[in-house]
Amino acid sequence: MPIIQDSPNTLYILNARLSFPSLLVPQASTLGSKPRYAATLIMEPDATEWQEMTQLMYTMYKDKWQEHANNIANVIQGDRKLRCYGFGQEKLDANGQILDGFQDKVFITALRKEEDGRPKLYNQQAQECAPTEPLNEMFAAGNYVNAVVSFWLQENAHGRALRCQLVGVQYVKEGEHFGAVEANAGEIFAPVAGAPAPTAPNGEKSKSARKRARQRENRARAAGDAPPGAPPA
């Protein structure tokens, strides 16, 4: 089962698609915020892990807030900043389009404080990754991973919220990487009006210059005055 029985509020997520990873170096999400390790785990709405997470969080709400649980749950559900999970249609780019990979999906965002140390990273053999392994390639956005995360409830001066701690991530397989395809600049640029004719690199004659030289040699050869040492036509 995805819920780890001997670790309270801990979930084992299988075969999720990795997005916005900061697994090697902690990053600040906004200007002035504290750097954190992070991973967004994308899955299908009918994934077992998503259903288990939903049940788990309501159990946590009820245990902590009892008869007020439903009211507090509604507040958390209504504010994306108060919850560690979300729905694909909430992930929009600057133009209002749903981000690549999030269409019709759900996700969990897990964080880890810098002072808690880097999350454990594992390879396909379930061995902790060695420094010599290509970690940037293994844990790139778009790849598939397994993850262990732990949920906790915030209740302080900043309000009540559902948060998620990133414990460890295992590389599963490569996926199609997120991000736009880089434009071919050579197909976009045009010659600048009035620019001088290009010169061949390293002082070599350009292809057109060599062609004109051969034409001159052929004409000279036909007239009987080919230059000494000229190759036969």
Side-chain angles (χ1 to χ4, degrees), residues 36 49 54 84 106 134 156 164 184:
R36 296 174 184 268
E49 294 86 348
T54 302
C84 58
V106 293
N156 53 28
C164 186
N184 186 342

Side-chain angles (χ1 to χ4, degrees), residues 159-179:
R160 301 182 180 94
L162 176 68
R163 305 303 185 194
C164 186
Q165 169 91 348
L166 182 62
V167 179
V169 184
Q170 179 186 21
Y171 171 73
V172 174
K173 63 180 179 180
E174 185 175 2
E176 183 177 353
H177 291 179
F178 293 135

